[in-house]
Amino acid sequence: MNLLDNEYNNYDGNLGVEYCKDGTKFIVWAPNANNVRLALFGKDEKNYTNAPEEILDMNRGVQGTWNIEVKRNLEGEFYNYLIINSGNEREVVDPYAKALGVNGNRGMVIDLKKTDPINFEEDRKPELSSATAAVIYEVHVRDFSINENSGISSNKKGKYTAFCEHGTTIPGKYTKTGIDYLMELGITHVHLLPAFDYETVDESKPDMPQYNWGYDPKNYFAPEGSYSTNPFNGEKRIREFKEMVKSIHKAGLRVVMDMVYNHTYKSHESNLNLAVPGYYYRQDQNGNFSNGSGCGNELASERYMVRKLIVDSVIYWAKEYHIDGFRFDLMGLHDIETMKQIRAELDKIDTSILMYGEGWTGGWTPLSGEESSVKQNIVKFDKMQIAAFSDDTRDSVKGHVFNINEKGYVNGRTGLEESIKFCIVGATGKQGINYDKVIYSRFAWANEPYQCINYISAHDNYTLWDKLYLTNNESSQEKRKNMNKLAAAIVLTSQGIPFFQAGEEFLRTKKNDDGSFSHDSYNAPDSVNNLEWDRVFEYKEIVNYYKGLIKLRKKYKAFRMNSSEEIRKNLTFLEYGEDFYKENVVAYKIEDNSEKNLCNTIVVIFNPNDEEAFIDLKECGWSVLVNKERAGVDEIYAIEGNSITVPSKCAHVLIKK
């Protein structure tokens, strides 16, 4: 336990700046500081290296806080704190700064009401019937529009405002791009890679090509400036971020933010550590910063004021920016109680706001395994909507993310039937699964399907299309396309919450200049990371297949059951040796036994083999909605008789007439 973690220092009130035209209040938590002063730098946004124009002594307050009220209109004024710890004075950006100057090096006093777009108070989230009704699409702000053929206006490329532009197409074609494309695709959530203020892009050089995924946190309460049309202006980035959210909502989609509370880019020199040395970070047995993130440090979420910072930040984004979901990077580094508190506070705002994250760590951590929000502990959340990514699904479907040559279910590895079944039930408990044969998990780690994120590709590691090439470069492109479609069918017809990387549906590739494939493109150039919109036209049959699967999922509740009890009642696996005789085939039936208007009886069949598979359906009267070539809600053809032969490398979805 940290010595500062006690009732004398645990502060429950508001921190940061409280602006009023007649006077602005500043309050910062710095319990072991010898002295704290407020430095005011004036309002010239371009003069961002000048010395303070005014320095004011702050007053020691309650529970480790320092405060001051400046009784004049400070709107637009840049500020920092000068904090003395152990005799050394350091300039510190307010950890609760809601607006920032360029590169996040100074806080800014702002009237937040003036940052709202027109009618922002009337902005409403699109309806979401349940968490399992979500279809999440992960995209980087810059990747989305920077490509020369995105059709997005040049002044909006790579910016928040790109999401506000309608009517864009691939030049010379009628193929939609941008926000119109997302609407047509059918997804429900746009998951943005980190868009809070991060360290590793120089915002003062907006015309210089720069790139980073953004997993380098600097300031947790303000948007990243490099995605703004004017990174020098603290108000501009806020308004444009809000305009983006409003536009996405108006398009019928929700917004998820990728939050990185597990570490900060800097360690000893971070704003947090300069404010309160040693408090915000975990230490090892030698007193050094522990490194469970693999990035040099890890935040001690279990400490009172660290937990407060995280909870306050999430709630602020939800309220001020109308954010609809939060993804937690390396969620395993967050203690269970912190995650529960976030969920409880979000529920007070809107129970439909999503929470999910990576149920693992990046290395050893002093945080107890019993307290960690790792995948195995998701069961400790009872029925709370806090989900973990299923690496069981990811690696069983396409092969291990770190072993280039390892194949998965769709691309040639055998003996993965039980892992695929585990994916189908959203990591919940179900008869008919041999858990001893699931690749990673020996028990159901999700109490409910809305606690499982099923996915096969994300920003990390190789794209799905590149992975399929690396494991099957001897195969024809057509065969690899079929593998891709089969992978998509598994994820989008399984219980839980489906998630996929932007461009997976048009065979996104990340090729380096030397022709090799990038598996870690966090700082690679646009030429590697950009969405190549031409591929939407080139591979429109794959895009249409994804559209069809999403449409199918949306129409039938059978694919998005909201409780494990429903899954147990309504879903049964067809049996090898009784319903089919081909190894590696996985097939299941969904019947409406819970009287919740799920669907007519549905049968789903996955055949990853290079040969066709015969399935005995036991009864007649079936229509095919998904086959090797097409997917959707319309009948492709009616089955004559009580059996079907499923071709190689494909999924079939049948519905009882």
Side-chain angles (χ1 to χ4, degrees):
M1 180 175 175
N2 190 279
L3 294 176
L4 293 176
D5 230 14
N6 57 62
E7 59 182 306
Y8 301 104
N9 292 314
N10 294 343
Y11 180 72
D12 288 319
N14 295 328
L15 292 168
V17 171
E18 185 179 320
Y19 167 79
C20 183
K21 187 176 180 180
D22 298 325
T24 298
K25 297 177 181 177
F26 299 81
I27 184 165
V28 62
W29 188 70
N32 53 355
N34 305 116
N35 192 40
V36 181
R37 299 187 294 167
L38 174 68
L40 298 173
F41 296 91
K43 301 181 181 183
D44 185 352
E45 63 193 32
K46 293 295 180 73
N47 191 11
Y48 53 89
T49 60
N50 63 313
E53 294 182 359
E54 187 176 8
I55 297 176
L56 302 170
D57 289 326
M58 299 183 70
N59 308 304
R60 189 183 289 274
V62 300
Q63 296 169 303
T65 60
W66 295 76
N67 63 79
I68 189 174
E69 182 175 6
V70 182
K71 294 195 173 185
R72 65 175 189 267
N73 190 351
L74 291 181
E75 185 183 356
E77 188 91 18
F78 291 96
Y79 75 100
N80 277 339
Y81 298 122
L82 303 176
I83 301 178
I84 297 177
N85 286 302
S86 303
N88 297 314
E89 185 176 74
R90 303 296 298 272
E91 184 177 329
V92 182
V93 179
D94 184 356
Y96 276 72
K98 307 300 194 303
L100 299 164
V102 70
N103 284 326
N105 289 330
R106 287 176 182 172
M108 179 182 176
V109 180
I110 196 166
D111 182 354
L112 280 166
K113 292 181 181 177
K114 292 184 179 180
T115 67
D116 287 352
I118 296 172
N119 297 326
F120 193 61
E121 70 280 359
E122 298 174 10
D123 173 61
R124 297 291 183 272
K125 308 175 186 318
E127 184 181 350
L128 184 70
S129 58
S130 67
T132 56
V135 180
I136 303 170
Y137 190 81
E138 181 204 51
V139 67
H140 185 276
V141 173
R142 187 175 175 90
D143 293 354
F144 181 68
S145 57
I146 201 67
N147 182 268
E148 62 181 357
N149 291 325
S150 69
I152 306 289
S153 301
S154 58
N155 64 326
K156 296 178 181 177
K157 286 184 184 289
K159 307 300 181 184
Y160 299 124
T161 51
F163 290 87
C164 305
E165 187 169 1
H166 290 269
T168 60
T169 59
I170 299 171
K173 298 182 176 70
Y174 294 106
T175 304
K176 293 178 180 178
T177 62
I179 192 72
D180 292 346
Y181 170 80
L182 298 186
M183 292 168 65
E184 196 172 76
L185 185 59
I187 58 156
T188 65
H189 288 68
V190 180
H191 167 136
L192 301 174
L193 266 68
F196 57 81
D197 183 63
Y198 62 84
E199 184 86 33
T200 41
V201 168
D202 187 350
E203 298 171 3
S204 70
K205 300 175 181 176
D207 297 327
M208 182 175 77
Q210 299 176 79
Y211 190 92
N212 204 280
W213 281 342
Y215 293 91
D216 299 321
K218 186 170 185 176
N219 297 289
Y220 286 118
F221 288 83
E224 166 63 15
S226 64
Y227 304 142
S228 168
T229 58
N230 183 357
F232 296 90
N233 186 298
E235 185 178 320
K236 193 82 167 177
R237 67 176 74 184
I238 296 173
R239 182 179 294 108
E240 290 178 345
F241 193 106
K242 289 179 176 179
E243 286 172 349
M244 172 184 67
V245 172
K246 182 184 174 185
S247 174
I248 293 173
H249 282 170
K250 193 174 180 180
L253 309 173
R254 291 186 166 209
V255 183
V256 175
M257 280 189 73
D258 198 331
M259 306 306 292
V260 190
Y261 297 115
N262 61 79
H263 77 283
T264 56
Y265 179 71
K266 291 181 177 178
S267 298
H268 293 282
E269 297 298 307
S270 74
N271 298 325
L272 297 177
N273 199 60
L274 292 178
V276 193
Y279 177 79
Y280 284 94
Y281 301 92
R282 295 188 185 116
Q283 291 87 28
D284 60 22
Q285 60 271 25
N286 299 316
N288 299 314
F289 284 179
S290 53
N291 190 23
S293 68
C295 299
N297 61 71
E298 55 180 293
L299 264 63
S301 63
E302 67 281 8
R303 294 176 188 168
Y304 193 92
M305 294 301 290
V306 184
R307 179 179 293 158
K308 174 178 169 59
L309 175 85
I310 295 171
V311 174
D312 286 352
S313 173
V314 171
I315 300 311
Y316 176 73
W317 285 102
K319 286 184 174 180
E320 184 66 32
Y321 290 89
H322 303 178
I323 298 300
D324 312 297
F326 297 90
R327 181 263 194 190
F328 296 87
D329 189 60
L330 294 182
M331 188 174 70
L333 290 176
H334 300 328
D335 67 290
I336 289 170
E337 182 56 32
T338 294
M339 299 307 294
K340 284 183 175 180
Q341 284 197 23
I342 295 171
R343 182 70 268 172
E345 291 301 314
L346 286 175
D347 283 346
K348 294 176 184 177
I349 303 169
D350 185 347
T351 57
S352 73
I353 295 174
L354 295 181
M355 283 180 63
Y356 57 95
E358 294 178 300
W360 47 80
T361 68
W364 177 84
T365 174
L367 180 65
S368 161
E370 293 298 309
E371 297 179 65
S372 168
S373 299
V374 290
K375 183 180 73 174
Q376 298 90 320
N377 286 339
I378 294 295
V379 292
K380 295 182 179 181
F381 291 123
D382 192 24
K383 295 189 180 296
M384 287 183 165
Q385 196 289 298
I386 302 174
F389 284 94
S390 177
D391 52 348
D392 298 280
T393 298
R394 181 195 69 201
D395 288 4
S396 64
V397 171
K398 71 172 183 181
H400 198 284
V401 291
F402 297 119
N403 184 339
I404 297 176
N405 300 315
E406 183 183 287
K407 299 181 178 182
Y409 181 76
V410 303
N411 48 338
R413 184 179 168 186
T414 59
L416 289 169
E417 296 98 315
E418 304 306 309
S419 296
I420 298 301
K421 289 180 183 178
F422 189 60
C423 162
I424 289 165
V425 300
T428 61
K430 180 76 176 75
Q431 288 185 332
I433 300 175
N434 183 345
Y435 286 83
D436 288 335
K437 293 186 176 181
V438 176
I439 56 171
Y440 300 143
S441 301
R442 296 295 174 264
F443 60 88
W445 50 261
N447 296 317
E448 303 294 349
Y450 52 73
Q451 296 174 328
C452 172
I453 301 288
N454 276 320
Y455 80 119
I456 41 179
S457 72
H459 62 278
D460 283 319
N461 314 116
Y462 294 108
T463 69
L464 174 59
W465 187 237
D466 289 347
K467 174 69 174 179
L468 293 176
Y469 177 83
L470 289 165
T471 54
N472 293 79
N473 58 15
E474 77 289 347
S475 298
S476 68
Q477 186 183 74
E478 196 61 33
K479 186 174 181 179
R480 284 185 278 113
K481 284 181 181 178
N482 291 330
M483 296 174 188
N484 199 108
K485 289 192 284 188
L486 176 57
I490 293 170
V491 169
L492 285 164
T493 60
S494 291
Q495 307 302 317
I497 302 173
F499 170 110
F500 60 102
Q501 181 189 25
E504 182 189 298
E505 76 282 11
F506 52 77
L507 310 183
R508 185 178 186 178
T509 183
K510 291 186 179 182
K511 270 192 179 180
N512 299 311
D513 290 341
D514 62 1
S516 64
F517 298 102
S518 178
H519 69 94
D520 187 18
S521 63
Y522 75 96
N523 64 349
D526 292 327
S527 58
V528 174
N529 283 300
N530 75 113
L531 290 185
E532 298 177 77
W533 287 99
D534 279 344
R535 298 175 74 91
V536 175
F537 179 81
E538 185 178 356
Y539 300 110
K540 57 188 173 185
E541 78 274 18
I542 311 295
V543 175
N544 288 334
Y545 201 83
Y546 274 76
K547 287 180 182 177
L549 289 170
I550 294 170
K551 194 176 291 184
L552 180 77
R553 185 179 185 88
K554 283 184 170 182
K555 182 172 180 177
Y556 296 109
K557 292 181 182 178
F559 299 115
R560 43 188 173 88
M561 288 182 271
N562 209 41
S563 74
S564 55
E565 182 183 3
E566 283 185 89
I567 296 171
R568 285 190 289 271
K569 282 184 178 180
N570 302 310
L571 190 152
T572 55
F573 291 105
L574 276 60
E575 296 290 336
Y576 174 80
E578 180 179 339
D579 302 299
F580 57 90
Y581 296 90
K582 193 75 176 175
E583 291 185 343
N584 301 316
V585 169
V586 175
Y588 64 95
K589 180 185 290 186
I590 302 177
E591 298 175 283
D592 193 356
N593 297 316
S594 57
E595 299 180 352
K596 290 195 175 182
N597 194 32
L598 296 174
C599 60
N600 297 347
T601 300
I602 286 176
V603 168
V604 181
I605 306 160
F606 303 133
N607 177 21
N609 297 296
D610 288 329
E611 306 84 27
E612 61 186 22
F614 177 84
I615 312 294
D616 185 359
L617 300 170
K618 309 298 187 188
E619 50 189 346
C620 302
W622 300 93
S623 292
V624 177
L625 301 180
V626 175
N627 65 4
K628 200 168 189 171
E629 290 77 33
R630 291 168 55 190
V633 298
D634 299 321
E635 180 184 275
I636 301 172
Y637 66 91
I639 297 173
E640 296 182 5
N642 61 355
S643 64
I644 186 172
T645 299
V646 178
S648 66
K649 290 277 186 271
C650 76
H652 268 53
V653 177
L654 322 176
I655 192 165
K656 200 77 182 299
K657 294 181 181 178

